[in-house]
Amino acid sequence: MGRLRVLVIGSAAGGGFPQWNCGSAVSRLFWEDDGRVSARTQSSLAVSGDGKSWTLFNCSPDIRQQIMANRALWPELGTRDSPIASVLLTNGDIDHLGGLLTLRESHHFRLFGTRGVLSVLTENRIFDAVNPQFVPRIPVSLDETIDLGGGVSAEIFAVPGKVPLYLEEGEPEIGAETETTVGVKVTGAAGEAFFYVPGCAHLSESLRERLRGAELLLFDGTLWRDDEMIQAGVGVKTGQRMGHISMSGPDGSLEAFKELGIRRKVFVHINNTNPVLIEGAPERLEAEAAGWEIGYDGMEITL
Ligand code: MLT
Ligand code: MN
């Protein structure tokens, strides 16, 4: 029997839900106190094999709020302490690493990422506040297995992605499978395993084969439709241009994952424009009918 605990501590995409400056169709339901929507913080998971030592998969700008909302991440009383032993970054986006600045205070934990992602930290001196003397930055190669302690290991793999928005110069290449954007396979002591892919531009053949038959997948749920942000009047970019596959349509994730035999599929990294955030909305019902769960803050899964 396995005992891997997976906590979805933040289920929204960049900006969270509702986003601070957004009153458009879906976000406004929150501001209007509509009970069909719930607030969500930005994209992050916490995972443990023993319930004592935890790894964060991405560290969002909302990490302080996420720690407060999840007792498992509280310090042991009476001392300076944190159960957060490691942080693994899946890309260099602000929603995935901005919270590192909150985890300063000369406290030891291990920080893992690809060389490319870790270079963001070296090139931006403000991250020296997370002093490498206390927080070693450990580069991880693609397909390398990392020991996270407590019998938990993680293997990272390239997924179709894009450089972070703030590093774009001209038209970025979209969908290349490089170390810029990775997914993670996390395995527990009894061999129980799940996949975490919070950002993905399309389902490539290699990714499809890797995920086939998985027990659990937490996957990029940014947008329902590719032109959703344009339609909502909140942006000029398509999901594809942002490096995110949409849920709906012939090339969408609902269709792409139909035949892969994945036992449990959960959307995370959900954008504040996505109508699946509304309980009972037709889009939500369609996603659920296709076998997907809509991730929420505080969702806990034990494998
Ligand atoms: C993304 O997932 O596309 C990014 O987090 C967008 C952003 O930087 O806000
Ligand atoms: Mn993001």
Side-chain angles (χ1 to χ4, degrees):
M1 207 190 72
R3 54 210 152 95
L4 207 50
R5 279 178 70 191
V6 184
L7 287 178
V8 179
I9 60 173
S11 54
F17 178 80
Q19 182 169 303
W20 69 280
N21 61 347
C22 190
S24 79
V26 186
S27 288
R28 72 175 290 165
L29 297 177
F30 178 85
W31 306 120
E32 290 171 344
D33 256 341
D34 189 311
R36 293 173 299 160
V37 296
S38 315
R40 285 168 162 81
T41 60
Q42 295 170 80
S43 183
S44 179
L45 293 187
V47 178
S48 178
D50 59 9
K52 295 192 179 91
S53 164
W54 291 80
T55 298
L56 300 183
F57 290 84
N58 293 318
C59 185
S60 98
D62 299 323
I63 184 60
R64 183 171 174 279
Q65 185 181 342
Q66 292 166 340
I67 290 170
M68 291 171 74
N70 289 277
R71 189 170 276 271
L73 303 181
W74 290 10
E76 191 180 318
L77 301 185
T79 177
R80 271 259 163 121
D81 166 72
S82 170
I84 299 169
S86 308
V87 175
L88 188 153
L89 304 173
T90 64
N91 67 14
D93 285 354
I94 293 168
D95 54 350
H96 283 164
L97 55 68
L100 287 174
L101 294 176
T102 300
L103 301 189
R104 62 194 188 282
E105 314 296 357
S106 304
H107 190 92
H108 171 73
F109 60 91
R110 295 183 300 161
L111 177 57
F112 297 98
T114 63
R115 281 173 181 77
V117 170
L118 292 181
S119 71
V120 168
L121 308 179
T122 18
E123 283 161 19
N124 290 277
R125 288 212 47 205
I126 192 169
F127 286 103
D128 288 350
V130 190
N131 187 343
Q133 276 188 333
F134 296 97
V135 182
R137 299 172 184 176
I138 304 165
V140 184
S141 302
L142 294 177
D143 301 310
E144 179 184 336
T145 299
I146 316 156
D147 183 356
L148 295 170
V152 182
S153 65
E155 182 191 345
I156 63 165
F157 49 89
V159 301
K162 153 182 109 44
V163 292
L165 180 57
Y166 60 86
L167 291 180
E168 286 184 12
E169 287 171 355
E171 276 306 302
E173 188 184 1
I174 313 275
E177 287 178 68
T178 70
E179 62 162 40
T180 300
T181 308
V182 302
V184 194
K185 180 181 184 184
V186 185
T187 306
E192 71 279 25
F194 74 95
F195 289 88
Y196 175 53
V197 183
C200 182
H202 64 266
L203 189 60
S204 65
E205 203 44 47
S206 58
L207 185 56
R208 185 190 304 269
E209 288 320 308
R210 196 186 284 273
L211 300 178
R212 188 182 290 282
E215 188 65 20
L216 169 67
L217 167 68
L218 297 118
F219 189 74
D220 184 345
T222 309
L223 300 182
W224 174 256
R225 299 170 46 133
D226 195 45
D227 63 354
E228 174 178 310
M229 295 186 56
I230 301 167
Q231 293 287 330
V234 301
V236 292
K237 285 186 193 159
T238 60
Q240 267 310 300
R241 174 60 184 76
M242 296 191 299
H244 296 291
I245 187 175
S246 299
M247 295 180 180
S248 64
D251 300 323
S253 47
L254 299 195
E255 189 60 37
F257 281 97
K258 254 183 187 158
E259 310 298 339
L260 291 189
I262 299 172
R263 203 177 73 77
R264 200 163 170 193
K265 299 179 294 224
V266 179
F267 280 125
V268 292
H269 193 279
I270 306 166
N271 197 54
N272 52 70
T273 50
N274 193 327
V276 301
L277 290 171
I278 309 168
E279 269 177 51
E283 295 86 352
R284 170 116 166 202
L285 298 177
E286 194 178 328
E288 288 169 348
W292 287 86
E293 295 170 66
I294 308 303
Y296 54 89
D297 288 21
M299 183 178 201
E300 176 163 359
I301 300 170
T302 304
L303 281 181

